[in-house]
Amino acid sequence: MSDPRTSKSHGRLSVRASRQPRDLMAEPQHVGAWTANIVTLFPEAFPGTLGLSLTGKALADGLWNLRTIPLREYGLGKHRNVDDTPAGGGAGLVMRPDVMAAALAKADPGLPVIYLSPRGRPFTQARARALAEGPGMTLICGRFEGLDQRLLDARNVEEISIGDYVLTGGEIAAQVLIDTTVRLIPRVLGNQASLAEESFSDGLLEHPQYTKPALWEGRAIPEVLLSGNHAAIRDWRMKQAEGLTKERRPDLWRAYQDGMDPAKDRQLSGASDQSRQHREHEKD
């Protein structure tokens, strides 16, 4: 009889209950699986939450690969410096292009390279879906005042933002991109049908959800959801989704009505606001 601790199933490595989260990245990479390369000064930040729940199980099952590239290993001099003072003066430090290029050379070739940056295009469900359909991605986790522009231009790096705010570094943002994308890979979620009803799946926010008990603190589940009339339920959910989107995300609502990319709508809205503010300033 074979040892159950070393036996394999369906060509994948067996899962040992004693493993720590980072052990998931120490195992051999699964050929052909969707792969995330992460260039970071803090490889110990991974897998983080990506090693838990469904994404963690999918990682253990070989449905996707996670690989960190420690940027410090490619630093210069005695102290492995990865940054220097900004050209033209100013506060802070800028990540060197030669150091970053050396680290990127160790990433899987052919994958799109993405830099997590507050000045990047807003990350959307549509972009996540497109990335999930590809072979993977290489993420650059920035620090300090950012990354030398020459590296971004030379390596055709895509800049993506997860929101209009600034983080200490790109590691948390990288986990957001990976989590959003990996869950769209077939077989990662137990119920793929649930993806069709999520927020942004059809350009709208998701409708409200309810479960047992039917009455809680004097609040009842809407009767239509208990009616068994599936057509009425679908109509109710659509109206709820439209109402919430119109109220909370007018940019998504405009894009939904016009068939426009929500990210482009936000950019146009921002340009319109700047133009309006400029006209008002001239009047003053």
Side-chain angles (χ1 to χ4, degrees):
M1 182 179 294
S2 62
D3 187 345
R5 293 172 298 177
T6 59
S7 63
K8 296 183 179 180
S9 174
H10 304 294
R12 298 194 299 267
L13 297 176
S14 61
V15 178
R16 299 187 301 273
S18 61
R19 290 188 307 177
Q20 297 299 312
R22 279 189 56 79
D23 291 337
L24 294 169
M25 296 187 294
E27 298 203 351
Q29 301 292 293
H30 295 77
V31 178
W34 190 93
T35 299
N37 296 282
I38 307 163
V39 182
T40 173
L41 280 169
F42 300 98
E44 63 272 18
F46 297 89
T49 58
L50 299 171
L52 306 175
S53 189
L54 295 175
T55 53
K57 183 179 185 302
L59 183 59
D61 287 346
L63 298 182
W64 67 289
N65 296 321
L66 179 61
R67 176 173 172 241
T68 55
I69 302 173
L71 182 62
R72 188 67 68 183
E73 293 183 4
Y74 304 92
L76 305 176
K78 178 182 178 180
H79 300 291
R80 300 276 187 178
N81 293 328
V82 302
D83 51 34
D84 214 319
T85 55
L93 297 166
V94 178
M95 303 178 83
R96 295 177 57 116
D98 48 355
V99 174
M100 184 60 69
L104 286 176
K106 299 299 180 181
D108 294 287
L111 300 184
V113 181
I114 297 172
Y115 173 46
L116 289 315
S117 167
R119 73 177 191 182
R121 293 182 181 275
F123 188 48
T124 64
Q125 190 73 6
R127 187 67 185 110
R129 190 175 297 111
L131 289 169
E133 293 173 353
M137 58 186 173
T138 295
L139 301 178
I140 298 175
C141 299
R143 287 274 160 176
F144 317 119
E145 295 303 311
L147 180 57
D148 190 299
Q149 182 65 38
R150 292 172 295 176
L151 184 284
L152 299 175
D153 296 337
R155 296 297 184 270
N156 193 29
V157 177
E158 176 184 1
E159 294 185 67
I160 286 182
S161 169
I162 64 168
D164 295 336
Y165 46 83
V166 179
L167 298 171
T168 305
E171 285 74 19
I172 294 176
Q175 292 199 27
V176 169
L177 257 70
I178 295 172
D179 183 275
T180 305
T181 303
V182 164
R183 63 194 303 276
L184 299 175
I185 296 174
R187 296 168 52 205
V188 170
L189 291 187
N191 182 10
Q192 289 295 122
S194 65
L195 293 175
E197 298 181 359
E198 292 180 329
S199 289
F200 313 114
S201 60
D202 57 1
L204 297 172
L205 298 181
E206 187 179 13
H207 55 77
Q209 297 282 7
Y210 298 87
T211 187
K212 297 178 181 178
L215 185 65
W216 177 76
E217 292 191 352
R219 299 172 183 266
I221 294 177
E223 291 185 8
V224 64
L225 298 180
L226 305 176
S227 67
N229 186 332
H230 297 295
I233 291 173
R234 283 194 300 270
D235 183 63
W236 180 88
R237 286 175 170 170
M238 176 58 72
K239 289 180 178 178
Q240 290 292 314
E242 290 177 344
L244 284 172
T245 305
K246 186 175 182 179
E247 175 188 351
R248 300 180 182 181
R249 291 292 302 274
D251 58 323
L252 288 180
W253 179 247
R254 287 193 299 269
Y256 175 75
Q257 289 184 308
D258 299 336
M260 182 187 296
D261 180 355
K264 183 177 181 180
D265 178 76
R266 283 195 292 271
Q267 293 168 0
L268 293 176
S269 297
S272 177
D273 289 341
Q274 292 178 357
S275 177
R276 176 179 52 80
Q277 292 173 3
H278 180 70
R279 291 195 302 270
E280 291 177 352
H281 178 73
E282 287 182 337
K283 291 180 181 180
D284 295 340

